Amino acid sequence: MVWVNVVPHMPKSSRYTLGARIEEKFLDLLECTYFAYFSEKATKQTRISECILLLDTLKFLITMSWEAKLISTTRCEEVAKILDETGKMFGGWRKNIGQIETKTPVNTGES
């Protein structure tokens, strides 16, 4: 987890507030991903959308940390690159789930 290497370099006043909040969001994202992976087909797309929302919140909080000069540009870019790649994975997962749902034959009752 890349954030664990970033937090110790934050000012102490922010490390236990914004830094801890970001760390909590990373754990929430991990938990949400776990639930999405093991959820039933009917709720999987909704759970993936929740993961994407958490990821966007993380991006916002990290950008806010960078703008407040709490983390360096290098560390922000490092984390942003990983989050962007994760976002692409979630987007592909959601798209794949949507395609699977549209390919599922609908029972019209005719035999």
Side-chain angles (χ1 to χ4, degrees), residues 27-41 43-51 54 90 93:
L27 292 172
D28 289 346
L29 179 61
L30 186 61
E31 181 180 18
C32 188
T33 305
Y34 176 82
F35 289 141
Y37 184 77
F38 288 105
S39 66
E40 294 182 17
K41 288 181 183 178
T43 59
K44 195 172 285 276
Q45 193 158 10
T46 303
R47 295 236 185 225
I48 294 169
S49 294
E50 290 171 7
C51 292
L54 276 169
F90 279 128
W93 191 14

mmCIF file with all atom_site columns, all heavy atoms in Angstrom, residues 27-41 43-51 54 90 93:
data_model
loop_
_atom_site.group_PDB
_atom_site.id
_atom_site.type_symbol
_atom_site.label_atom_id
_atom_site.label_alt_id
_atom_site.label_comp_id
_atom_site.label_asym_id
_atom_site.label_entity_id
_atom_site.label_seq_id
_atom_site.pdbx_PDB_ins_code
_atom_site.Cartn_x
_atom_site.Cartn_y
_atom_site.Cartn_z
_atom_site.occupancy
_atom_site.B_iso_or_equiv
_atom_site.pdbx_formal_charge
_atom_site.auth_seq_id
_atom_site.auth_comp_id
_atom_site.auth_asym_id
_atom_site.auth_atom_id
_atom_site.pdbx_PDB_model_num
ATOM 1   N N   . LEU A 1 27 ? -8.777  1.754   3.182   1.00 0.00 ? 27 LEU A N   1
ATOM 2   C CA  . LEU A 1 27 ? -9.297  0.523   3.776   1.00 0.00 ? 27 LEU A CA  1
ATOM 3   C C   . LEU A 1 27 ? -10.759 0.296   3.393   1.00 0.00 ? 27 LEU A C   1
ATOM 4   O O   . LEU A 1 27 ? -11.165 -0.839  3.122   1.00 0.00 ? 27 LEU A O   1
ATOM 5   C CB  . LEU A 1 27 ? -9.129  0.556   5.299   1.00 0.00 ? 27 LEU A CB  1
ATOM 6   C CG  . LEU A 1 27 ? -7.686  0.491   5.788   1.00 0.00 ? 27 LEU A CG  1
ATOM 7   C CD1 . LEU A 1 27 ? -7.630  0.733   7.291   1.00 0.00 ? 27 LEU A CD1 1
ATOM 8   C CD2 . LEU A 1 27 ? -7.042  -0.832  5.423   1.00 0.00 ? 27 LEU A CD2 1
ATOM 9   N N   . ASP A 1 28 ? -11.537 1.378   3.337   1.00 0.00 ? 28 ASP A N   1
ATOM 10  C CA  . ASP A 1 28 ? -12.933 1.267   2.898   1.00 0.00 ? 28 ASP A CA  1
ATOM 11  C C   . ASP A 1 28 ? -13.005 0.763   1.454   1.00 0.00 ? 28 ASP A C   1
ATOM 12  O O   . ASP A 1 28 ? -13.846 -0.064  1.119   1.00 0.00 ? 28 ASP A O   1
ATOM 13  C CB  . ASP A 1 28 ? -13.651 2.615   2.997   1.00 0.00 ? 28 ASP A CB  1
ATOM 14  C CG  . ASP A 1 28 ? -13.914 3.049   4.424   1.00 0.00 ? 28 ASP A CG  1
ATOM 15  O OD1 . ASP A 1 28 ? -13.792 2.204   5.347   1.00 0.00 ? 28 ASP A OD1 1
ATOM 16  O OD2 . ASP A 1 28 ? -14.222 4.248   4.625   1.00 0.00 ? 28 ASP A OD2 1
ATOM 17  N N   . LEU A 1 29 ? -12.093 1.263   0.614   1.00 0.00 ? 29 LEU A N   1
ATOM 18  C CA  . LEU A 1 29 ? -12.055 0.826   -0.783  1.00 0.00 ? 29 LEU A CA  1
ATOM 19  C C   . LEU A 1 29 ? -11.692 -0.649  -0.881  1.00 0.00 ? 29 LEU A C   1
ATOM 20  O O   . LEU A 1 29 ? -12.302 -1.391  -1.654  1.00 0.00 ? 29 LEU A O   1
ATOM 21  C CB  . LEU A 1 29 ? -11.065 1.668   -1.584  1.00 0.00 ? 29 LEU A CB  1
ATOM 22  C CG  . LEU A 1 29 ? -10.911 1.307   -3.062  1.00 0.00 ? 29 LEU A CG  1
ATOM 23  C CD1 . LEU A 1 29 ? -12.233 1.466   -3.798  1.00 0.00 ? 29 LEU A CD1 1
ATOM 24  C CD2 . LEU A 1 29 ? -9.833  2.170   -3.703  1.00 0.00 ? 29 LEU A CD2 1
ATOM 25  N N   . LEU A 1 30 ? -10.764 -1.073  -0.078  1.00 0.00 ? 30 LEU A N   1
ATOM 26  C CA  . LEU A 1 30 ? -10.367 -2.483  -0.067  1.00 0.00 ? 30 LEU A CA  1
ATOM 27  C C   . LEU A 1 30 ? -11.540 -3.356  0.361   1.00 0.00 ? 30 LEU A C   1
ATOM 28  O O   . LEU A 1 30 ? -11.838 -4.381  -0.266  1.00 0.00 ? 30 LEU A O   1
ATOM 29  C CB  . LEU A 1 30 ? -9.181  -2.680  0.882   1.00 0.00 ? 30 LEU A CB  1
ATOM 30  C CG  . LEU A 1 30 ? -8.531  -4.034  0.925   1.00 0.00 ? 30 LEU A CG  1
ATOM 31  C CD1 . LEU A 1 30 ? -7.956  -4.404  -0.440  1.00 0.00 ? 30 LEU A CD1 1
ATOM 32  C CD2 . LEU A 1 30 ? -7.424  -4.033  1.965   1.00 0.00 ? 30 LEU A CD2 1
ATOM 33  N N   . GLU A 1 31 ? -12.243 -2.944  1.397   1.00 0.00 ? 31 GLU A N   1
ATOM 34  C CA  . GLU A 1 31 ? -13.407 -3.681  1.883   1.00 0.00 ? 31 GLU A CA  1
ATOM 35  C C   . GLU A 1 31 ? -14.524 -3.693  0.835   1.00 0.00 ? 31 GLU A C   1
ATOM 36  O O   . GLU A 1 31 ? -15.136 -4.734  0.572   1.00 0.00 ? 31 GLU A O   1
ATOM 37  C CB  . GLU A 1 31 ? -13.906 -3.040  3.179   1.00 0.00 ? 31 GLU A CB  1
ATOM 38  C CG  . GLU A 1 31 ? -15.096 -3.717  3.787   1.00 0.00 ? 31 GLU A CG  1
ATOM 39  C CD  . GLU A 1 31 ? -15.566 -3.038  5.072   1.00 0.00 ? 31 GLU A CD  1
ATOM 40  O OE1 . GLU A 1 31 ? -15.205 -1.862  5.322   1.00 0.00 ? 31 GLU A OE1 1
ATOM 41  O OE2 . GLU A 1 31 ? -16.305 -3.687  5.829   1.00 0.00 ? 31 GLU A OE2 1
ATOM 42  N N   . CYS A 1 32 ? -14.773 -2.560  0.221   1.00 0.00 ? 32 CYS A N   1
ATOM 43  C CA  . CYS A 1 32 ? -15.820 -2.455  -0.794  1.00 0.00 ? 32 CYS A CA  1
ATOM 44  C C   . CYS A 1 32 ? -15.494 -3.346  -2.002  1.00 0.00 ? 32 CYS A C   1
ATOM 45  O O   . CYS A 1 32 ? -16.382 -3.993  -2.556  1.00 0.00 ? 32 CYS A O   1
ATOM 46  C CB  . CYS A 1 32 ? -15.958 -0.995  -1.232  1.00 0.00 ? 32 CYS A CB  1
ATOM 47  S SG  . CYS A 1 32 ? -17.362 -0.682  -2.302  1.00 0.00 ? 32 CYS A SG  1
ATOM 48  N N   . THR A 1 33 ? -14.232 -3.393  -2.381  1.00 0.00 ? 33 THR A N   1
ATOM 49  C CA  . THR A 1 33 ? -13.810 -4.250  -3.485  1.00 0.00 ? 33 THR A CA  1
ATOM 50  C C   . THR A 1 33 ? -14.038 -5.716  -3.150  1.00 0.00 ? 33 THR A C   1
ATOM 51  O O   . THR A 1 33 ? -14.515 -6.498  -3.989  1.00 0.00 ? 33 THR A O   1
ATOM 52  C CB  . THR A 1 33 ? -12.327 -4.005  -3.818  1.00 0.00 ? 33 THR A CB  1
ATOM 53  O OG1 . THR A 1 33 ? -12.130 -2.617  -4.081  1.00 0.00 ? 33 THR A OG1 1
ATOM 54  C CG2 . THR A 1 33 ? -11.886 -4.821  -5.017  1.00 0.00 ? 33 THR A CG2 1
ATOM 55  N N   . TYR A 1 34 ? -13.744 -6.088  -1.934  1.00 0.00 ? 34 TYR A N   1
ATOM 56  C CA  . TYR A 1 34 ? -13.969 -7.457  -1.473  1.00 0.00 ? 34 TYR A CA  1
ATOM 57  C C   . TYR A 1 34 ? -15.450 -7.809  -1.572  1.00 0.00 ? 34 TYR A C   1
ATOM 58  O O   . TYR A 1 34 ? -15.818 -8.863  -2.095  1.00 0.00 ? 34 TYR A O   1
ATOM 59  C CB  . TYR A 1 34 ? -13.468 -7.596  -0.033  1.00 0.00 ? 34 TYR A CB  1
ATOM 60  C CG  . TYR A 1 34 ? -13.741 -8.944  0.591   1.00 0.00 ? 34 TYR A CG  1
ATOM 61  C CD1 . TYR A 1 34 ? -12.909 -10.020 0.348   1.00 0.00 ? 34 TYR A CD1 1
ATOM 62  C CD2 . TYR A 1 34 ? -14.838 -9.124  1.429   1.00 0.00 ? 34 TYR A CD2 1
ATOM 63  C CE1 . TYR A 1 34 ? -13.157 -11.263 0.920   1.00 0.00 ? 34 TYR A CE1 1
ATOM 64  C CE2 . TYR A 1 34 ? -15.097 -10.356 2.000   1.00 0.00 ? 34 TYR A CE2 1
ATOM 65  C CZ  . TYR A 1 34 ? -14.248 -11.422 1.748   1.00 0.00 ? 34 TYR A CZ  1
ATOM 66  O OH  . TYR A 1 34 ? -14.512 -12.645 2.317   1.00 0.00 ? 34 TYR A OH  1
ATOM 67  N N   . PHE A 1 35 ? -16.306 -6.907  -1.087  1.00 0.00 ? 35 PHE A N   1
ATOM 68  C CA  . PHE A 1 35 ? -17.753 -7.147  -1.146  1.00 0.00 ? 35 PHE A CA  1
ATOM 69  C C   . PHE A 1 35 ? -18.238 -7.214  -2.596  1.00 0.00 ? 35 PHE A C   1
ATOM 70  O O   . PHE A 1 35 ? -19.084 -8.033  -2.933  1.00 0.00 ? 35 PHE A O   1
ATOM 71  C CB  . PHE A 1 35 ? -18.526 -6.078  -0.388  1.00 0.00 ? 35 PHE A CB  1
ATOM 72  C CG  . PHE A 1 35 ? -18.390 -6.164  1.107   1.00 0.00 ? 35 PHE A CG  1
ATOM 73  C CD1 . PHE A 1 35 ? -18.284 -5.015  1.868   1.00 0.00 ? 35 PHE A CD1 1
ATOM 74  C CD2 . PHE A 1 35 ? -18.371 -7.384  1.757   1.00 0.00 ? 35 PHE A CD2 1
ATOM 75  C CE1 . PHE A 1 35 ? -18.165 -5.089  3.251   1.00 0.00 ? 35 PHE A CE1 1
ATOM 76  C CE2 . PHE A 1 35 ? -18.257 -7.472  3.136   1.00 0.00 ? 35 PHE A CE2 1
ATOM 77  C CZ  . PHE A 1 35 ? -18.152 -6.318  3.882   1.00 0.00 ? 35 PHE A CZ  1
ATOM 78  N N   . ALA A 1 36 ? -17.709 -6.360  -3.456  1.00 0.00 ? 36 ALA A N   1
ATOM 79  C CA  . ALA A 1 36 ? -18.115 -6.369  -4.860  1.00 0.00 ? 36 ALA A CA  1
ATOM 80  C C   . ALA A 1 36 ? -17.721 -7.683  -5.527  1.00 0.00 ? 36 ALA A C   1
ATOM 81  O O   . ALA A 1 36 ? -18.499 -8.258  -6.290  1.00 0.00 ? 36 ALA A O   1
ATOM 82  C CB  . ALA A 1 36 ? -17.484 -5.191  -5.601  1.00 0.00 ? 36 ALA A CB  1
ATOM 83  N N   . TYR A 1 37 ? -16.536 -8.152  -5.236  1.00 0.00 ? 37 TYR A N   1
ATOM 84  C CA  . TYR A 1 37 ? -16.047 -9.386  -5.846  1.00 0.00 ? 37 TYR A CA  1
ATOM 85  C C   . TYR A 1 37 ? -16.921 -10.584 -5.481  1.00 0.00 ? 37 TYR A C   1
ATOM 86  O O   . TYR A 1 37 ? -17.215 -11.423 -6.325  1.00 0.00 ? 37 TYR A O   1
ATOM 87  C CB  . TYR A 1 37 ? -14.598 -9.636  -5.422  1.00 0.00 ? 37 TYR A CB  1
ATOM 88  C CG  . TYR A 1 37 ? -13.983 -10.842 -6.092  1.00 0.00 ? 37 TYR A CG  1
ATOM 89  C CD1 . TYR A 1 37 ? -13.556 -10.780 -7.411  1.00 0.00 ? 37 TYR A CD1 1
ATOM 90  C CD2 . TYR A 1 37 ? -13.848 -12.042 -5.409  1.00 0.00 ? 37 TYR A CD2 1
ATOM 91  C CE1 . TYR A 1 37 ? -12.999 -11.892 -8.030  1.00 0.00 ? 37 TYR A CE1 1
ATOM 92  C CE2 . TYR A 1 37 ? -13.291 -13.160 -6.024  1.00 0.00 ? 37 TYR A CE2 1
ATOM 93  C CZ  . TYR A 1 37 ? -12.864 -13.073 -7.335  1.00 0.00 ? 37 TYR A CZ  1
ATOM 94  O OH  . TYR A 1 37 ? -12.321 -14.170 -7.948  1.00 0.00 ? 37 TYR A OH  1
ATOM 95  N N   . PHE A 1 38 ? -17.344 -10.633 -4.222  1.00 0.00 ? 38 PHE A N   1
ATOM 96  C CA  . PHE A 1 38 ? -18.104 -11.789 -3.757  1.00 0.00 ? 38 PHE A CA  1
ATOM 97  C C   . PHE A 1 38 ? -19.621 -11.569 -3.748  1.00 0.00 ? 38 PHE A C   1
ATOM 98  O O   . PHE A 1 38 ? -20.359 -12.431 -3.286  1.00 0.00 ? 38 PHE A O   1
ATOM 99  C CB  . PHE A 1 38 ? -17.630 -12.209 -2.359  1.00 0.00 ? 38 PHE A CB  1
ATOM 100 C CG  . PHE A 1 38 ? -16.274 -12.847 -2.392  1.00 0.00 ? 38 PHE A CG  1
ATOM 101 C CD1 . PHE A 1 38 ? -15.156 -12.157 -1.948  1.00 0.00 ? 38 PHE A CD1 1
ATOM 102 C CD2 . PHE A 1 38 ? -16.109 -14.131 -2.889  1.00 0.00 ? 38 PHE A CD2 1
ATOM 103 C CE1 . PHE A 1 38 ? -13.902 -12.747 -1.989  1.00 0.00 ? 38 PHE A CE1 1
ATOM 104 C CE2 . PHE A 1 38 ? -14.857 -14.720 -2.938  1.00 0.00 ? 38 PHE A CE2 1
ATOM 105 C CZ  . PHE A 1 38 ? -13.751 -14.028 -2.487  1.00 0.00 ? 38 PHE A CZ  1
ATOM 106 N N   . SER A 1 39 ? -20.088 -10.447 -4.253  1.00 0.00 ? 39 SER A N   1
ATOM 107 C CA  . SER A 1 39 ? -21.532 -10.199 -4.254  1.00 0.00 ? 39 SER A CA  1
ATOM 108 C C   . SER A 1 39 ? -22.213 -10.955 -5.388  1.00 0.00 ? 39 SER A C   1
ATOM 109 O O   . SER A 1 39 ? -21.576 -11.406 -6.340  1.00 0.00 ? 39 SER A O   1
ATOM 110 C CB  . SER A 1 39 ? -21.814 -8.702  -4.377  1.00 0.00 ? 39 SER A CB  1
ATOM 111 O OG  . SER A 1 39 ? -21.405 -8.224  -5.633  1.00 0.00 ? 39 SER A OG  1
ATOM 112 N N   . GLU A 1 40 ? -23.524 -11.068 -5.270  1.00 0.00 ? 40 GLU A N   1
ATOM 113 C CA  . GLU A 1 40 ? -24.313 -11.744 -6.296  1.00 0.00 ? 40 GLU A CA  1
ATOM 114 C C   . GLU A 1 40 ? -24.386 -10.873 -7.545  1.00 0.00 ? 40 GLU A C   1
ATOM 115 O O   . GLU A 1 40 ? -24.215 -9.656  -7.482  1.00 0.00 ? 40 GLU A O   1
ATOM 116 C CB  . GLU A 1 40 ? -25.711 -12.029 -5.762  1.00 0.00 ? 40 GLU A CB  1
ATOM 117 C CG  . GLU A 1 40 ? -25.707 -13.021 -4.619  1.00 0.00 ? 40 GLU A CG  1
ATOM 118 C CD  . GLU A 1 40 ? -27.109 -13.344 -4.135  1.00 0.00 ? 40 GLU A CD  1
ATOM 119 O OE1 . GLU A 1 40 ? -28.073 -13.063 -4.878  1.00 0.00 ? 40 GLU A OE1 1
ATOM 120 O OE2 . GLU A 1 40 ? -27.224 -13.875 -3.027  1.00 0.00 ? 40 GLU A OE2 1
ATOM 121 N N   . LYS A 1 41 ? -24.667 -11.508 -8.663  1.00 0.00 ? 41 LYS A N   1
ATOM 122 C CA  . LYS A 1 41 ? -24.704 -10.797 -9.944  1.00 0.00 ? 41 LYS A CA  1
ATOM 123 C C   . LYS A 1 41 ? -25.641 -9.599  -9.918  1.00 0.00 ? 41 LYS A C   1
ATOM 124 O O   . LYS A 1 41 ? -25.357 -8.571  -10.509 1.00 0.00 ? 41 LYS A O   1
ATOM 125 C CB  . LYS A 1 41 ? -25.124 -11.743 -11.072 1.00 0.00 ? 41 LYS A CB  1
ATOM 126 C CG  . LYS A 1 41 ? -24.070 -12.741 -11.447 1.00 0.00 ? 41 LYS A CG  1
ATOM 127 C CD  . LYS A 1 41 ? -24.557 -13.622 -12.580 1.00 0.00 ? 41 LYS A CD  1
ATOM 128 C CE  . LYS A 1 41 ? -23.517 -14.683 -12.906 1.00 0.00 ? 41 LYS A CE  1
ATOM 129 N NZ  . LYS A 1 41 ? -23.977 -15.579 -13.978 1.00 0.00 ? 41 LYS A NZ  1
ATOM 130 N N   . THR A 1 43 ? -26.329 -7.480  -7.603  1.00 0.00 ? 43 THR A N   1
ATOM 131 C CA  . THR A 1 43 ? -25.830 -6.293  -6.894  1.00 0.00 ? 43 THR A CA  1
ATOM 132 C C   . THR A 1 43 ? -24.391 -5.937  -7.243  1.00 0.00 ? 43 THR A C   1
ATOM 133 O O   . THR A 1 43 ? -23.882 -4.924  -6.770  1.00 0.00 ? 43 THR A O   1
ATOM 134 C CB  . THR A 1 43 ? -25.929 -6.508  -5.377  1.00 0.00 ? 43 THR A CB  1
ATOM 135 O OG1 . THR A 1 43 ? -25.160 -7.651  -5.020  1.00 0.00 ? 43 THR A OG1 1
ATOM 136 C CG2 . THR A 1 43 ? -27.370 -6.685  -4.925  1.00 0.00 ? 43 THR A CG2 1
ATOM 137 N N   . LYS A 1 44 ? -23.757 -6.754  -8.060  1.00 0.00 ? 44 LYS A N   1
ATOM 138 C CA  . LYS A 1 44 ? -22.335 -6.551  -8.351  1.00 0.00 ? 44 LYS A CA  1
ATOM 139 C C   . LYS A 1 44 ? -22.055 -5.195  -8.992  1.00 0.00 ? 44 LYS A C   1
ATOM 140 O O   . LYS A 1 44 ? -21.130 -4.494  -8.589  1.00 0.00 ? 44 LYS A O   1
ATOM 141 C CB  . LYS A 1 44 ? -21.820 -7.673  -9.244  1.00 0.00 ? 44 LYS A CB  1
ATOM 142 C CG  . LYS A 1 44 ? -20.307 -7.762  -9.300  1.00 0.00 ? 44 LYS A CG  1
ATOM 143 C CD  . LYS A 1 44 ? -19.835 -8.988  -10.028 1.00 0.00 ? 44 LYS A CD  1
ATOM 144 C CE  . LYS A 1 44 ? -19.974 -10.235 -9.237  1.00 0.00 ? 44 LYS A CE  1
ATOM 145 N NZ  . LYS A 1 44 ? -18.927 -10.555 -8.302  1.00 0.00 ? 44 LYS A NZ  1
ATOM 146 N N   . GLN A 1 45 ? -22.858 -4.786  -9.971  1.00 0.00 ? 45 GLN A N   1
ATOM 147 C CA  . GLN A 1 45 ? -22.614 -3.521  -10.653 1.00 0.00 ? 45 GLN A CA  1
ATOM 148 C C   . GLN A 1 45 ? -22.777 -2.331  -9.702  1.00 0.00 ? 45 GLN A C   1
ATOM 149 O O   . GLN A 1 45 ? -22.010 -1.381  -9.749  1.00 0.00 ? 45 GLN A O   1
ATOM 150 C CB  . GLN A 1 45 ? -23.531 -3.371  -11.856 1.00 0.00 ? 45 GLN A CB  1
ATOM 151 C CG  . GLN A 1 45 ? -23.103 -2.243  -12.765 1.00 0.00 ? 45 GLN A CG  1
ATOM 152 C CD  . GLN A 1 45 ? -23.609 -2.388  -14.167 1.00 0.00 ? 45 GLN A CD  1
ATOM 153 O OE1 . GLN A 1 45 ? -24.437 -3.229  -14.450 1.00 0.00 ? 45 GLN A OE1 1
ATOM 154 N NE2 . GLN A 1 45 ? -23.115 -1.565  -15.063 1.00 0.00 ? 45 GLN A NE2 1
ATOM 155 N N   . THR A 1 46 ? -23.753 -2.407  -8.810  1.00 0.00 ? 46 THR A N   1
ATOM 156 C CA  . THR A 1 46 ? -23.946 -1.345  -7.818  1.00 0.00 ? 46 THR A CA  1
ATOM 157 C C   . THR A 1 46 ? -22.749 -1.263  -6.878  1.00 0.00 ? 46 THR A C   1
ATOM 158 O O   . THR A 1 46 ? -22.271 -0.172  -6.561  1.00 0.00 ? 46 THR A O   1
ATOM 159 C CB  . THR A 1 46 ? -25.234 -1.601  -7.005  1.00 0.00 ? 46 THR A CB  1
ATOM 160 O OG1 . THR A 1 46 ? -26.327 -1.687  -7.910  1.00 0.00 ? 46 THR A OG1 1
ATOM 161 C CG2 . THR A 1 46 ? -25.475 -0.514  -5.998  1.00 0.00 ? 46 THR A CG2 1
ATOM 162 N N   . ARG A 1 47 ? -22.256 -2.409  -6.460  1.00 0.00 ? 47 ARG A N   1
ATOM 163 C CA  . ARG A 1 47 ? -21.095 -2.445  -5.560  1.00 0.00 ? 47 ARG A CA  1
ATOM 164 C C   . ARG A 1 47 ? -19.849 -1.894  -6.250  1.00 0.00 ? 47 ARG A C   1
ATOM 165 O O   . ARG A 1 47 ? -19.056 -1.183  -5.627  1.00 0.00 ? 47 ARG A O   1
ATOM 166 C CB  . ARG A 1 47 ? -20.846 -3.862  -5.068  1.00 0.00 ? 47 ARG A CB  1
ATOM 167 C CG  . ARG A 1 47 ? -21.969 -4.379  -4.199  1.00 0.00 ? 47 ARG A CG  1
ATOM 168 C CD  . ARG A 1 47 ? -21.426 -4.812  -2.901  1.00 0.00 ? 47 ARG A CD  1
ATOM 169 N NE  . ARG A 1 47 ? -22.458 -5.415  -2.089  1.00 0.00 ? 47 ARG A NE  1
ATOM 170 C CZ  . ARG A 1 47 ? -22.599 -5.111  -0.820  1.00 0.00 ? 47 ARG A CZ  1
ATOM 171 N NH1 . ARG A 1 47 ? -21.808 -4.257  -0.260  1.00 0.00 ? 47 ARG A NH1 1
ATOM 172 N NH2 . ARG A 1 47 ? -23.536 -5.694  -0.124  1.00 0.00 ? 47 ARG A NH2 1
ATOM 173 N N   . ILE A 1 48 ? -19.675 -2.206  -7.529  1.00 0.00 ? 48 ILE A N   1
ATOM 174 C CA  . ILE A 1 48 ? -18.528 -1.678  -8.264  1.00 0.00 ? 48 ILE A CA  1
ATOM 175 C C   . ILE A 1 48 ? -18.640 -0.160  -8.376  1.00 0.00 ? 48 ILE A C   1
ATOM 176 O O   . ILE A 1 48 ? -17.642 0.554   -8.222  1.00 0.00 ? 48 ILE A O   1
ATOM 177 C CB  . ILE A 1 48 ? -18.414 -2.344  -9.650  1.00 0.00 ? 48 ILE A CB  1
ATOM 178 C CG1 . ILE A 1 48 ? -18.098 -3.838  -9.499  1.00 0.00 ? 48 ILE A CG1 1
ATOM 179 C CG2 . ILE A 1 48 ? -17.338 -1.667  -10.495 1.00 0.00 ? 48 ILE A CG2 1
ATOM 180 C CD1 . ILE A 1 48 ? -18.223 -4.653  -10.762 1.00 0.00 ? 48 ILE A CD1 1
ATOM 181 N N   . SER A 1 49 ? -19.840 0.342   -8.591  1.00 0.00 ? 49 SER A N   1
ATOM 182 C CA  . SER A 1 49 ? -20.055 1.796   -8.649  1.00 0.00 ? 49 SER A CA  1
ATOM 183 C C   . SER A 1 49 ? -19.712 2.443   -7.307  1.00 0.00 ? 49 SER A C   1
ATOM 184 O O   . SER A 1 49 ? -19.167 3.551   -7.271  1.00 0.00 ? 49 SER A O   1
ATOM 185 C CB  . SER A 1 49 ? -21.499 2.110   -9.038  1.00 0.00 ? 49 SER A CB  1
ATOM 186 O OG  . SER A 1 49 ? -21.743 1.680   -10.360 1.00 0.00 ? 49 SER A OG  1
ATOM 187 N N   . GLU A 1 50 ? -20.011 1.776   -6.206  1.00 0.00 ? 50 GLU A N   1
ATOM 188 C CA  . GLU A 1 50 ? -19.639 2.275   -4.877  1.00 0.00 ? 50 GLU A CA  1
ATOM 189 C C   . GLU A 1 50 ? -18.121 2.349   -4.745  1.00 0.00 ? 50 GLU A C   1
ATOM 190 O O   . GLU A 1 50 ? -17.580 3.303   -4.181  1.00 0.00 ? 50 GLU A O   1
ATOM 191 C CB  . GLU A 1 50 ? -20.221 1.380   -3.789  1.00 0.00 ? 50 GLU A CB  1
ATOM 192 C CG  . GLU A 1 50 ? -21.724 1.467   -3.652  1.00 0.00 ? 50 GLU A CG  1
ATOM 193 C CD  . GLU A 1 50 ? -22.292 0.410   -2.705  1.00 0.00 ? 50 GLU A CD  1
ATOM 194 O OE1 . GLU A 1 50 ? -21.516 -0.311  -2.047  1.00 0.00 ? 50 GLU A OE1 1
ATOM 195 O OE2 . GLU A 1 50 ? -23.533 0.296   -2.640  1.00 0.00 ? 50 GLU A OE2 1
ATOM 196 N N   . CYS A 1 51 ? -17.434 1.348   -5.277  1.00 0.00 ? 51 CYS A N   1
ATOM 197 C CA  . CYS A 1 51 ? -15.966 1.337   -5.254  1.00 0.00 ? 51 CYS A CA  1
ATOM 198 C C   . CYS A 1 51 ? -15.417 2.524   -6.041  1.00 0.00 ? 51 CYS A C   1
ATOM 199 O O   . CYS A 1 51 ? -14.467 3.183   -5.598  1.00 0.00 ? 51 CYS A O   1
ATOM 200 C CB  . CYS A 1 51 ? -15.420 0.039   -5.838  1.00 0.00 ? 51 CYS A CB  1
ATOM 201 S SG  . CYS A 1 51 ? -15.747 -1.432  -4.867  1.00 0.00 ? 51 CYS A SG  1
ATOM 202 N N   . LEU A 1 54 ? -15.769 5.672   -4.036  1.00 0.00 ? 54 LEU A N   1
ATOM 203 C CA  . LEU A 1 54 ? -14.723 5.735   -3.004  1.00 0.00 ? 54 LEU A CA  1
ATOM 204 C C   . LEU A 1 54 ? -13.374 6.120   -3.610  1.00 0.00 ? 54 LEU A C   1
ATOM 205 O O   . LEU A 1 54 ? -12.623 6.909   -3.031  1.00 0.00 ? 54 LEU A O   1
ATOM 206 C CB  . LEU A 1 54 ? -14.595 4.392   -2.281  1.00 0.00 ? 54 LEU A CB  1
ATOM 207 C CG  . LEU A 1 54 ? -15.553 4.136   -1.144  1.00 0.00 ? 54 LEU A CG  1
ATOM 208 C CD1 . LEU A 1 54 ? -15.485 2.682   -0.695  1.00 0.00 ? 54 LEU A CD1 1
ATOM 209 C CD2 . LEU A 1 54 ? -15.244 5.055   0.026   1.00 0.00 ? 54 LEU A CD2 1
ATOM 210 N N   . PHE A 1 90 ? -11.494 -0.791  -12.400 1.00 0.00 ? 90 PHE A N   1
ATOM 211 C CA  . PHE A 1 90 ? -12.891 -0.763  -11.967 1.00 0.00 ? 90 PHE A CA  1
ATOM 212 C C   . PHE A 1 90 ? -13.820 -0.473  -13.150 1.00 0.00 ? 90 PHE A C   1
ATOM 213 O O   . PHE A 1 90 ? -14.882 -1.078  -13.278 1.00 0.00 ? 90 PHE A O   1
ATOM 214 C CB  . PHE A 1 90 ? -13.123 0.280   -10.872 1.00 0.00 ? 90 PHE A CB  1
ATOM 215 C CG  . PHE A 1 90 ? -12.740 -0.180  -9.501  1.00 0.00 ? 90 PHE A CG  1
ATOM 216 C CD1 . PHE A 1 90 ? -11.893 0.585   -8.708  1.00 0.00 ? 90 PHE A CD1 1
ATOM 217 C CD2 . PHE A 1 90 ? -13.237 -1.356  -8.974  1.00 0.00 ? 90 PHE A CD2 1
ATOM 218 C CE1 . PHE A 1 90 ? -11.547 0.172   -7.433  1.00 0.00 ? 90 PHE A CE1 1
ATOM 219 C CE2 . PHE A 1 90 ? -12.897 -1.778  -7.699  1.00 0.00 ? 90 PHE A CE2 1
ATOM 220 C CZ  . PHE A 1 90 ? -12.046 -1.009  -6.934  1.00 0.00 ? 90 PHE A CZ  1
ATOM 221 N N   . TRP A 1 93 ? -14.117 -3.542  -15.218 1.00 0.00 ? 93 TRP A N   1
ATOM 222 C CA  . TRP A 1 93 ? -14.914 -4.535  -14.489 1.00 0.00 ? 93 TRP A CA  1
ATOM 223 C C   . TRP A 1 93 ? -16.396 -4.220  -14.619 1.00 0.00 ? 93 TRP A C   1
ATOM 224 O O   . TRP A 1 93 ? -17.217 -5.082  -14.916 1.00 0.00 ? 93 TRP A O   1
ATOM 225 C CB  . TRP A 1 93 ? -14.471 -4.557  -13.028 1.00 0.00 ? 93 TRP A CB  1
ATOM 226 C CG  . TRP A 1 93 ? -14.988 -5.683  -12.193 1.00 0.00 ? 93 TRP A CG  1
ATOM 227 C CD1 . TRP A 1 93 ? -15.581 -6.832  -12.612 1.00 0.00 ? 93 TRP A CD1 1
ATOM 228 C CD2 . TRP A 1 93 ? -14.937 -5.768  -10.771 1.00 0.00 ? 93 TRP A CD2 1
ATOM 229 N NE1 . TRP A 1 93 ? -15.902 -7.622  -11.538 1.00 0.00 ? 93 TRP A NE1 1
ATOM 230 C CE2 . TRP A 1 93 ? -15.516 -6.999  -10.387 1.00 0.00 ? 93 TRP A CE2 1
ATOM 231 C CE3 . TRP A 1 93 ? -14.450 -4.929  -9.774  1.00 0.00 ? 93 TRP A CE3 1
ATOM 232 C CZ2 . TRP A 1 93 ? -15.640 -7.403  -9.073  1.00 0.00 ? 93 TRP A CZ2 1
ATOM 233 C CZ3 . TRP A 1 93 ? -14.554 -5.333  -8.456  1.00 0.00 ? 93 TRP A CZ3 1
ATOM 234 C CH2 . TRP A 1 93 ? -15.141 -6.558  -8.108  1.00 0.00 ? 93 TRP A CH2 1
#
